[in-house]
Amino acid sequence: MRKQKRKEHLRFTVDKAVSTYLFNDSISLNHPLKEEGLTRHLKGQSIITYELLEESLETYQKLIDHEETRDKVVLLAEHYLSDYYKHQLLNGRWSKRMNTLYYIEDFKMNSLADTIWMLFQTRLKWDEEKEQIIRTLAALQDVRLFELLVEEQPDWSVGLYKEIFRRMDRDQFKYNVSELDSFEHPVGNAMLDVAREERDEALLPLFEELLSSHSLEVRIRALKGILTLERITNVELLTPFASSSEWVERMLFARIAGKLKQSRYIAILTELMGDSNWWVRQGAAEALFHYRDGVFILEHIYTNHPDPFARDMARQWVGSRESVSDGGC
């Protein structure tokens, strides 16, 4: 309670000092904390003051969109928190080390990259802290980490690789994507997943090229990329997937066809309505449903298709349309 009371007493002083520096261009880096007497608290290694400073900086960083002001947040963190964070990384408790890593990542404190890299090399135990060390290095754009990915491609999880690529500078990431053939699973698969998240139409040629990959996982990710972009330069590139021996590829063809709404796909989708796999039939029915005359096509399938599974699926989708028209009654 005494600590909390003292913390609240100092909070206004810290916030005032931080805002003075951030929003007054005439104030130097050293001025705000020195002027308000906070430098004395920091030199005395007052943990409360450090905690208040990082909380204040984190708040402003989340609220501010102005790039120059956000850069000043980083400068302030570098100037006043670097030594404190270095001490916490090397000597603090596990929870304190973890929080410190999060703050370093948020504030993009490049001055601590060497210390974190040393921790990465010396911490042999693979745990949550080790993974956060890697994520923090990625956020700091540490070239040593990226070189390690390219040269050694360590056997890390796809999830961890995705977190690395999400933090990577976008130009660096796009370069790595262009060199996709050099990467193996799980690095390449994670890269494709993140590329799909980008929704960047410039990546469409890459997805189209990978449709001919020998790897099923790569082809599936390429199809998902095209599904996300809802575009393709040559509609015939998709046709072979309608007769794939893999049900996932047939389903993805159906879902993409529903987005592209090409009339040449209608006959193929009608045939897929009788597929042996429920997910493929479901995908084909949903795709047809979104065509301009989709309900009429499904009604025709319900009445005339020779396959009972196709008729049943068509009935369900026609029924769902009628249910919506009736207000769900």
Side-chain angles (χ1 to χ4, degrees):
M1 290 177 64
R2 285 196 301 270
K3 178 182 176 182
Q4 190 62 32
K5 185 176 180 180
R6 186 181 173 203
K7 195 170 184 178
E8 291 307 314
H9 177 73
L10 280 173
R11 187 179 300 278
F12 175 77
T13 306
V14 173
D15 285 341
K16 181 181 177 182
V18 172
S19 62
T20 299
Y21 170 65
L22 293 181
F23 302 111
N24 190 333
D25 293 336
S26 65
I27 301 297
S28 68
L29 185 63
N30 288 303
H31 175 83
L33 301 187
K34 183 177 181 181
E35 185 72 16
E36 302 298 338
L38 292 182
T39 302
R40 173 172 51 83
H41 290 288
L42 292 172
K43 284 185 176 179
Q45 296 188 353
S46 168
I47 294 178
I48 293 177
T49 312
Y50 283 118
E51 290 177 353
L52 286 170
L53 181 56
E54 63 188 6
E55 288 173 13
S56 181
L57 290 175
E58 183 182 40
T59 299
Y60 280 115
Q61 187 181 56
K62 290 179 178 178
L63 294 176
I64 296 170
D65 289 330
H66 190 257
E67 185 175 353
E68 290 185 6
T69 307
R70 289 174 68 89
D71 289 342
K72 293 176 80 171
V73 169
V74 175
L75 287 173
L76 205 55
E78 289 275 16
H79 189 79
Y80 286 104
L81 294 174
S82 290
D83 290 341
Y84 170 66
Y85 281 166
K86 185 174 183 178
H87 179 269
Q88 292 298 328
L89 288 174
L90 299 177
N91 303 290
R93 302 186 308 273
W94 181 87
S95 59
K96 197 66 180 179
R97 294 198 305 271
M98 287 293 289
N99 283 334
T100 298
L101 286 168
Y102 291 135
Y103 277 121
I104 292 171
E105 176 178 350
D106 289 343
F107 297 146
K108 303 291 188 296
M109 298 176 66
N110 291 302
S111 65
L112 293 169
D114 287 341
T115 300
I116 300 172
W117 179 254
M118 182 271 291
L119 293 176
F120 170 71
Q121 292 182 305
T122 56
R123 294 284 165 86
L124 301 180
K125 181 182 178 181
W126 191 274
D127 56 8
E128 185 179 350
E129 183 178 2
K130 180 87 169 185
E131 293 195 358
Q132 183 54 40
I133 287 172
I134 293 171
R135 287 190 288 265
T136 304
L137 286 170
L140 298 180
Q141 308 303 313
D142 195 297
V143 294
R144 292 166 294 192
L145 177 68
F146 300 151
E147 288 173 355
L148 177 69
L149 301 190
V150 173
E151 295 171 5
E152 298 186 20
Q153 300 187 36
D155 188 21
W156 298 341
S157 69
V158 172
L160 179 57
Y161 273 119
K162 287 164 70 172
E163 293 191 69
I164 292 171
F165 291 136
R166 289 182 185 124
R167 289 164 170 79
M168 186 179 286
D169 173 80
R170 299 339 286 157
D171 290 336
Q172 177 66 43
F173 173 69
K174 288 180 180 179
Y175 172 77
N176 283 350
V177 170
S178 70
E179 300 290 319
L180 191 66
D181 289 341
S182 303
F183 295 97
E184 298 178 357
H185 171 80
V187 188
N189 289 339
M191 200 179 298
L192 280 176
D193 286 341
V194 176
R196 177 164 56 91
E197 293 172 7
E198 296 282 291
R199 293 180 176 271
D200 185 350
E201 291 191 1
L203 295 172
L204 180 60
L206 170 69
F207 292 135
E208 292 179 337
E209 179 183 349
L210 294 175
L211 291 176
S212 59
S213 171
H214 295 298
S215 167
L216 174 62
E217 290 189 65
V218 171
R219 294 198 305 272
I220 288 173
R221 282 172 164 80
L223 287 167
K224 287 181 177 179
I226 292 170
L227 176 62
T228 299
L229 294 176
E230 299 183 11
R231 282 196 61 219
I232 196 166
T233 57
N234 181 0
V235 293
E236 291 301 327
L237 289 174
L238 290 176
T239 306
F241 293 98
S243 55
S244 169
S245 60
E246 302 289 342
W247 71 267
V248 178
E249 291 184 316
R250 300 197 302 276
M251 179 194 67
L252 286 169
F253 164 82
R255 293 182 63 188
I256 295 170
K259 298 293 184 182
L260 300 181
K261 298 183 181 66
Q262 292 285 324
S263 58
R264 69 185 71 198
Y265 292 150
I266 293 176
I268 302 174
L269 290 169
T270 301
E271 184 177 348
L272 288 177
M273 288 288 293
D275 194 272
S276 60
N277 183 279
W278 184 89
W279 288 105
V280 177
R281 298 196 300 273
Q282 168 78 2
E286 184 176 3
L288 288 169
F289 186 81
H290 290 101
Y291 272 69
R292 182 176 181 181
D293 298 319
V295 175
F296 297 107
I297 297 171
L298 289 168
E299 287 176 342
H300 179 78
I301 293 172
Y302 171 51
T303 305
N304 300 292
H305 203 289
D307 189 289
F309 290 116
R311 295 196 299 271
D312 181 64
M313 184 61 73
R315 177 186 59 79
Q316 293 180 40
W317 278 87
V318 171
S320 69
R321 171 60 180 267
E322 291 174 351
S323 175
V324 171
S325 299
D326 293 341
C329 300

